[in-house]
Amino acid sequence: MAAANRLTHGPRDMLLSLLALLLIIGAILVANRACSFSPGAPQSDPATAPKVDVAAGLRRADAPFTVRNPSVPITWQGNSLSSAPIDTARVIRSGWLTPTNYIQLSQSNGSIMDLVAAETGSSSGATGTVDIAGVQWTIFPARRSEQAWVTDLGPSRLLITGDAPDPDFRTLASAATH
């Protein structure tokens, strides 16, 4: 008799059962706030981002070159600081959240191409140059739709990357070289 009852259930019954399950799951997700709907691009909240005293970290950085400690706008929040080897050299990375984006300064005693490859994940050729207060920066493509600016200061190389707009790149480039 049970087999006969199952044969009388059609696609409509299966659809109604699925709809009931989806309603139950939806109610649980809404009650626990485990799901949200955010049309458009994801948004980050700078208040919840890690805060790092970049200036103090750069002053304490141990590197075989002089580590520069740029004076950035007060509206920029220090967000990251790290150090790592690249080939036979060292790189010191410092990052900030600007009011709208992210920007990072990498300092190294490695070659320009080693630094570019390590920081951008690419060995693509340069796409242009820009002069900031008498210092020539070479522009390379970086991750996603970002760009990377790099300059050679003799004993060290500087590389700026991130999704910040051009004026923020110019601000950091000027602060890092003066």
Side-chain angles (χ1 to χ4, degrees):
M1 185 79 156
N5 281 343
R6 277 192 227 138
L7 291 175
T8 61
H9 296 292
R12 179 181 160 272
D13 296 317
M14 190 178 295
L15 187 60
L16 289 174
S17 296
L18 181 60
L19 183 60
L21 283 173
L22 289 175
L23 286 173
I24 292 169
I25 292 170
I28 291 170
L29 290 175
V30 169
N32 291 318
R33 298 186 188 267
C35 183
S36 66
F37 177 69
S38 177
Q43 301 295 317
S44 64
D45 181 6
T48 62
K51 291 180 175 60
V52 174
D53 188 348
V54 172
L58 290 174
R59 283 191 299 272
R60 291 188 311 266
D62 182 28
F65 56 91
T66 301
V67 176
R68 293 171 177 268
N69 194 349
S71 178
V72 298
I74 195 159
T75 57
W76 292 15
Q77 174 186 312
N79 179 255
S80 66
L81 185 66
S82 65
S83 174
I86 56 168
D87 200 20
T88 60
R90 189 116 200 106
V91 63
I92 308 289
R93 298 179 190 97
S94 46
W96 296 267
L97 293 176
T98 68
T100 58
N101 299 86
Y102 177 77
I103 195 163
Q104 176 179 294
L105 172 66
S106 300
Q107 306 179 55
S108 178
N109 61 328
S111 72
I112 284 182
M113 292 317 294
D114 286 346
L115 181 60
V116 168
E119 300 302 288
T120 67
S122 172
S123 57
S124 298
T127 59
T129 60
V130 63
D131 183 275
I132 307 295
V135 178
Q136 189 77 16
W137 293 79
T138 305
I139 303 171
F140 289 87
R143 291 179 175 93
R144 297 169 293 278
S145 61
E146 299 174 3
Q147 59 182 337
W149 291 12
V150 65
T151 192
D152 188 339
L153 298 176
S156 65
R157 264 62 56 214
L158 305 180
L159 182 139
I160 299 172
T161 191
D163 63 354
D166 198 64
D168 289 343
F169 269 68
R170 291 177 177 279
T171 297
L172 184 55
S174 181
T177 55
H178 293 98

